[in-house]
Amino acid sequence: MAIMREISKEQVLAAMQNRHATKVFDSARLISGLDAQYILEAGRLSPSSLGLEPWKFVVVQNRQLRNKLKQLAPGAQGKLDTASHFVIILARTNVQYNSPYVLDHMRQVQQMPEEVVQYISGFLKEFQQVRGLLDDARLLYEWSAKQAYIALGNMMTAAALIGIDSCPIEGFDNAEVDRILADEGLLENGNFQSAVMMALGYRQEEPKRSKTRSDIEKLVAWR
């Protein structure tokens, strides 16, 4: 069993307090390869429904590809030019209960016995039918995309804990971004669609005002 190095609650909250949506990064400061792998590993280890991992992390370092994305992602303006690393999180679309991906994942990755595969597949079929996911490709994509945000949050927190800044980005033309990524051979014949983007690096300057949040009493209800 791996030995866990303890991190204090104060350290975690300090990192969260310091984290902010960085608009412009210091382009002269690059994230090390080891730190980039650590952040991506935090995404890989994130929880997902039935452990199906319905995501893919595309790290865009190619300058020409970044320039193409700038035309389609107003929310990424300034970040694509300066971020050390730029990640597009894709959401898997072929996550029907009986899809080859789902069945292979249970057998090969999760190493489930065949009777367990059939049981879980049946449970997933009922879940997806009740929620209409099997009748609407958009809903199926959104189910995966919601889980992609879990990985996004974990990667941003992991980055903050080691002093790396980040910014989540939604303001982009998904269809056109998907077209570009398809041309790059990254969507596996339509089995993925873009969900959200994330810029990583080191802030160029401190934010002009301190972080503001509602009081905890307004956000939490106990019963």
Side-chain angles (χ1 to χ4, degrees):
M1 179 178 179
I3 298 175
M4 300 282 290
R5 290 202 308 172
E6 186 173 337
I7 182 170
S8 71
K9 294 185 287 292
E10 291 76 15
Q11 287 174 304
V12 174
L13 292 178
M16 298 301 290
Q17 180 67 35
N18 184 62
R19 192 215 65 78
H20 79 111
T22 302
K23 302 299 186 292
V24 180
F25 296 86
D26 182 351
S27 58
R29 295 187 65 190
L30 300 180
I31 298 170
S32 72
L34 287 176
D35 285 347
Q37 287 300 321
Y38 151 80
I39 294 169
L40 292 167
E41 183 71 354
R44 186 182 76 91
L45 294 174
S46 296
S48 59
S49 183
L50 298 177
L52 292 178
E53 304 172 51
W55 47 55
K56 183 177 182 178
F57 311 127
V58 177
V59 185
V60 182
Q61 301 302 83
N62 180 276
R63 186 58 56 184
Q64 289 183 328
L65 182 53
R66 285 196 185 194
N67 287 336
K68 290 180 182 179
L69 292 172
K70 276 199 302 183
Q71 311 306 313
L72 306 170
Q77 297 300 319
K79 305 170 189 69
L80 280 161
D81 285 331
T82 61
S84 170
H85 288 62
F86 194 88
V87 182
I88 303 175
I89 304 180
L90 308 180
R92 187 175 280 280
T93 60
N94 58 335
V95 285
Q96 300 91 338
Y97 71 96
N98 59 350
S99 72
Y101 169 76
V102 167
L103 296 176
D104 182 71
H105 186 82
M106 288 192 286
R107 290 170 179 144
Q108 303 301 324
V109 178
Q110 297 175 315
Q111 298 185 348
M112 293 179 179
E114 189 59 32
E115 61 271 19
V116 178
V117 170
Q118 296 306 316
Y119 173 80
I120 297 297
S121 176
F123 169 81
L124 185 57
K125 177 182 180 180
E126 181 178 351
F127 170 85
Q128 292 179 336
Q129 282 180 330
V130 168
R131 285 157 180 79
L133 303 184
L134 300 179
D135 303 318
D136 190 327
R138 180 69 187 180
L139 289 179
L140 199 64
Y141 155 77
E142 289 177 354
W143 182 58
S144 290
K146 288 176 182 178
Q147 296 174 65
Y149 277 73
I150 299 173
L152 169 71
N154 283 347
M155 286 192 281
M156 292 172 60
T157 299
L161 287 168
I162 61 171
I164 291 176
D165 294 304
S166 62
C167 185
I169 300 156
E170 281 192 311
F172 61 93
D173 185 330
N174 292 69
E176 285 301 304
V177 168
D178 287 349
R179 181 185 62 77
I180 289 175
L181 297 179
D183 289 343
E184 295 286 328
L186 294 166
L187 300 187
E188 297 185 11
N189 296 318
N191 288 329
F192 286 100
Q193 293 178 25
S194 56
V196 67
M197 299 174 174
M198 174 181 61
L200 294 163
Y202 297 95
R203 66 189 70 179
Q204 186 175 70
E205 58 184 29
E206 293 300 317
K208 292 181 171 56
R209 67 173 188 167
S210 59
K211 179 172 288 186
T212 58
R213 291 292 187 272
S214 299
D215 293 336
I216 190 72
E217 292 79 12
K218 292 183 178 180
L219 303 177
V220 179
W222 295 76
R223 290 293 184 272

